[in-house]
Amino acid sequence: MDLPFQITEILERLELTGFSAFVVGGCVRDFLMGLSPHDFDITTSATPAETKRVFADCRVVETGIKHGTVTVLYKGISTEITTFRVDGGYSDGRHPDSVVFSRDITDDLSRRDFTMNGIAYSPKRGFIDPFGGENDIKRGVIRAIGDADKRFSEDALRVLRAVRFSSVLSFEIEEQTARAIRAHEGDLRKVSVERILAELKRLLCGRDVKRVLLEYSSLFAKIIPPLGEEIGFEQGSKYHDRTLYEHTAAAVENSPPTEEMRFAMLFHDLGKVKCKTTDENGECHYYGHAEISAELCDEIMRGLKCDNSLRERVVRIVRYHDIPVDTERKYIRRQLAKHGAEEFEDIMNAHIADDSAKADFCRERIPKIQEVIKIAREIAAEQPCLSARALAITGEDLKPYVPPSPLMGEILSQLLSEVVDEKIPNEKAALLERARGILEERIQK
Ligand code: ATP
Ligand code: MG
């Protein structure tokens, strides 16, 4: 395994002073999967005090001293070094009551969650893999270390980690482990919303998110109850060939893997449950559902303590996920003026994700949506005037004709709307002339 030189030196230093030391966890898993690790965690037989002594010449921060973790700043990189440990009981289903340091790497590996995360490696000692993690990685299997039921009752976050890994890595969850997940999904209420949100973000961006949403639907209903109401909900419409929840899961996976798009698609149709109507032909309609979905989405994301910026972006995509699709230049310019280029493209991508999760014939509209995106990009590249700030005149220029008043604001916004519609060019002389024209029209009225 290729390690950054600093990591190799840290391991060597610990070994030279009489301790054993390994890289462990995600980085070993990533390496065995052929991916490049994003960070390297080190585990060692040295106690935190011993580690501090070994790195007395470096900056050492006691980041998690209770759990045996210190962070060492070594030749420009900072690395967490954690003492081998076994965890005591977990009476709250979240945190070990006590941790006991150990001198044995196998002890440390056995407290870890899944076999794929329970492998250690050092250049001196090679791979230490007591639970068959490498084999499970080869076969694409997530398996709890030890008794799955016990491991999930110790720490309910593992339930969500398993499902997140399954989505991101496209790994299947082994049967006993899957059964234990289902048995412990209710324990997720013990997990803080911050951690649930963090896992959910990564899970939703995974490439196997649809399978995971469908296989563990009741788990998602526990975390987000309104989503549970979509399960088994028949849409009663010729546009739909599956239940609302199945449609939602497919729409999530069909959208670009960004947090805002994935959350938006997860929540885009929540409002349907609340506004179903049936016409005389037995066809169901959901008038106004986008707005209700947006309100529910806002509430859920506040509950998950999502940051305002992401929440607001998601809510707007949900609110507008259903606007008309039109290739007319004037329409697109108006939408760009309202949403900005980025949000408008997100909204159009939501349309594509939505249509591709409906009955087959609905896909016929997708080329048209793609055409709208193309035109919108061309328009945006021209850097058009689509906001009051970009107008070639300001209130200052109008002062000789109109005193500062609400009327001035009205004139400016009418000028902007005519520029957006390309009725007049965004040029000072033309704008002033038109402003005088508008004034005259007003006076005549
Ligand atoms: P990634 O960083 O890509 O999320 P990772 O496996 O490195 O994956 P971390 O949260 O960084 O995940 O944790 C590092 C290691 O610590 C894991 O590989 C696993 O061995 C162990 N670990 C993390 N969380 C838990 C947990 N809740 N229960 C048991 N072991 C855990
Ligand atoms: Mg990690």
Side-chain angles (χ1 to χ4, degrees), residues 11 288 329:
L11 295 176
R329 190 177 159 89

Side-chain angles (χ1 to χ4, degrees), residues 179-227:
R179 210 173 307 140
I181 289 174
R182 292 181 208 287
H184 288 281
E185 60 192 27
D187 298 353
L188 280 170
R189 69 190 138 67
K190 298 180 197 163
V191 177
S192 73
V193 289
E194 287 87 350
R195 301 191 85 168
I196 288 182
L197 178 67
E199 290 296 332
L200 205 51
K201 283 179 178 175
R202 300 177 71 178
L203 183 157
L204 287 174
C205 292
R207 56 192 161 120
D208 243 1
V209 58
K210 180 174 99 178
R211 175 182 56 78
V212 163
L213 285 170
L214 294 175
E215 280 180 9
Y216 295 93
S217 56
S218 63
L219 182 157
F220 293 100
K222 291 245 159 53
I223 310 178
I224 301 163
L227 214 49

Side-chain angles (χ1 to χ4, degrees), residues 87-102:
D87 297 339
Y90 283 77
S91 38
D92 64 354
R94 274 188 296 190
H95 311 289
D97 301 330
S98 63
V99 304
V100 179
F101 295 144
S102 162

Side-chain angles (χ1 to χ4, degrees), residues 24-27 29-30 38-39 41 80 85 87 90 94 108-109 111-114 116-119 145 151 154-159 161 164-165 168-169 195 199 202:
V24 69
C27 64
R29 181 194 70 230
D30 287 347
H38 53 86
D39 57 5
D41 293 325
E80 288 197 348
R85 61 172 225 237
D87 297 339
Y90 283 77
R94 274 188 296 190
D108 185 80
L109 294 176
R111 73 161 171 96
R112 293 174 183 271
D113 47 6
F114 307 113
M116 61 178 186
N117 291 340
I119 311 173
I145 291 175
R151 303 313 308 284
E154 287 169 356
D155 177 5
L157 180 66
R158 292 173 189 155
V159 169
R161 279 174 62 87
R164 182 256 289 184
F165 281 122
V168 172
L169 305 176
R195 301 191 85 168
E199 290 296 332
R202 300 177 71 178

Side-chain angles (χ1 to χ4, degrees), residues 329-340:
R329 190 177 159 89
K330 184 158 105 184
Y331 172 75
I332 296 173
R333 284 176 61 97
R334 283 184 184 174
Q335 294 302 319
L336 287 172
K338 175 167 177 179
H339 297 288

Side-chain angles (χ1 to χ4, degrees), residues 267-288:
F267 298 141
H268 78 287
D269 272 352
L270 284 177
K272 279 192 169 180
V273 177
K274 303 219 183 302
C275 59
K276 185 176 186 171
T277 55
T278 309
D279 68 19
E280 61 275 18
N281 305 316
E283 184 79 5
C284 297
H285 303 278
Y286 303 92
Y287 301 112

